[in-house]
Amino acid sequence: MGRILSRTTYGLVIAIITLLVSCQASNDGWITDAHATFYGDIHGNDTMYGACGYQNLFKQGYGLETAALSTALFNNGATCGACYEIQCINSPNCKPKAGTIKITATNFCPPNYTKTVDIWCNPPQKHFDLSEVMFLKIAEYKAGVVPVQFRRVPCVKQGGLKFLIQGSRYWTLVLVFNVAGAGDVANMKIKGTNSNWMQMSRNWGQNWLSPVDVTGQNLSFEVTTSDGKTVQAIHVVAHNWQFGQTFESGVNF
């Protein structure tokens, strides 16, 4: 026969359970073992475009609300386009009542195995290299590096999915950007006027490759984000398109 708890013990157990549930709920997806630094200057000089394939962060809608991710977060480019909420914690250099910032992952912060200090982007560390203007929203300039907590959040973008078409008549490389929702694209397909849906492969970052000649055809794209949601941008590209052009669809997540 099991023991009968006294009212005092029973009340204590309930209080502990309530506290644990409360703590779990208040965590709300936050991950605390991370740090942040900054690059460039307050005007965005030296802004890094690089490893995701985005060619102009301002013209493509990302601006300075961006970050380069360490190896542990970058996932070989698969995380490009994902959005994060970040908050400075546990440092006297955190700005009081600064709240949080929201950024889009647009680049890679590479590891440096030749150094023994300031190796924030080396595995397995979770690290965000922010633009200076975003860093200064949450921390003092003199800090240089601060501990932060972060969580994934939905991306909010204006307008539809956008596609920059590059390559040659023998292969087509498509950069997909301005992706709302999960933000990071996990799969893409392409369809020409004269073809069925064809699988594309991630070339690097958010550049997706098709080895098939699709010149002179209307083009449609099927885009799937990391959360499994899929949309189709039908005939978003007219048949007389040229390499180097960007096209905006009427759909987004």
Side-chain angles (χ1 to χ4, degrees):
M1 180 179 295
R3 294 182 59 189
I4 299 175
L5 298 178
S6 69
R7 289 187 178 181
T8 301
T9 304
Y10 179 79
L12 180 60
V13 171
I14 294 299
I16 292 173
I17 293 174
T18 301
L19 178 61
L20 291 174
V21 171
S22 175
C23 289
Q24 290 173 348
S26 65
N27 187 50
D28 202 20
W30 288 103
I31 299 172
T32 58
D33 59 335
H35 289 79
T37 50
F38 66 88
Y39 61 87
D41 61 25
I42 197 69
H43 303 293
N45 295 326
D46 296 327
T47 300
M48 299 182 291
Y49 304 125
C52 287
Y54 308 124
Q55 297 188 348
N56 189 312
L57 295 183
F58 294 95
K59 289 184 178 179
Q60 292 179 334
Y62 296 105
L64 295 175
E65 297 177 349
T66 56
L69 306 187
S70 62
T71 301
L73 296 173
F74 190 67
N75 193 23
N76 292 320
T79 312
C80 289
C83 295
Y84 293 88
E85 185 175 13
I86 299 172
Q87 184 173 24
C88 184
I89 59 171
N90 302 329
S91 171
N93 292 311
C94 294
K95 289 187 175 178
K97 300 180 180 179
T100 64
I101 58 172
K102 293 180 180 179
I103 57 89
T104 303
T106 57
N107 207 353
F108 176 50
C109 184
N112 188 334
Y113 298 110
T114 65
K115 299 172 64 178
T116 57
V117 296
D118 298 332
I119 52 174
W120 301 108
C121 290
N122 287 20
Q125 298 184 97
K126 302 178 182 69
H127 191 80
F128 297 87
D129 197 22
L130 303 167
S131 65
E132 183 177 332
V133 68
M134 297 307 290
F135 183 88
L136 293 181
K137 287 181 181 292
I138 58 173
E140 300 293 344
Y141 180 90
K142 64 181 180 181
V145 58
V146 290
V148 297
Q149 64 178 7
F150 71 96
R151 62 182 174 183
R152 282 285 298 268
V153 293
C155 298
V156 179
K157 305 298 180 185
Q158 299 296 317
L161 298 173
K162 295 182 181 181
F163 305 90
L164 169 61
I165 303 181
Q166 305 166 90
S168 72
R169 64 171 301 172
Y170 303 105
W171 52 273
T172 305
L173 191 68
V174 179
L175 170 67
V176 55
F177 61 101
N178 199 52
V179 183
D184 48 345
V185 174
N187 193 53
M188 272 188 66
K189 294 180 181 179
I190 187 172
K191 183 182 186 303
T193 309
N194 305 322
S195 73
N196 295 318
W197 287 105
M198 298 177 289
Q199 182 66 51
M200 304 183 78
S201 60
R202 186 190 305 278
N203 191 258
W204 58 281
Q206 287 301 355
N207 282 292
W208 293 79
L209 179 68
S210 171
V212 179
D213 179 13
V214 291
T215 55
Q217 301 181 54
N218 294 337
L219 300 181
S220 302
F221 298 101
E222 182 179 278
V223 180
T224 301
T225 46
S226 63
D227 57 357
K229 295 181 179 178
T230 298
V231 298
Q232 292 183 341
I234 303 298
H235 295 165
V236 63
V237 179
H239 67 90
N240 58 345
W241 59 270
Q242 301 292 320
F243 292 110
Q245 289 183 312
T246 296
F247 299 87
E248 181 175 358
S249 72
V251 296
N252 212 325
F253 292 91

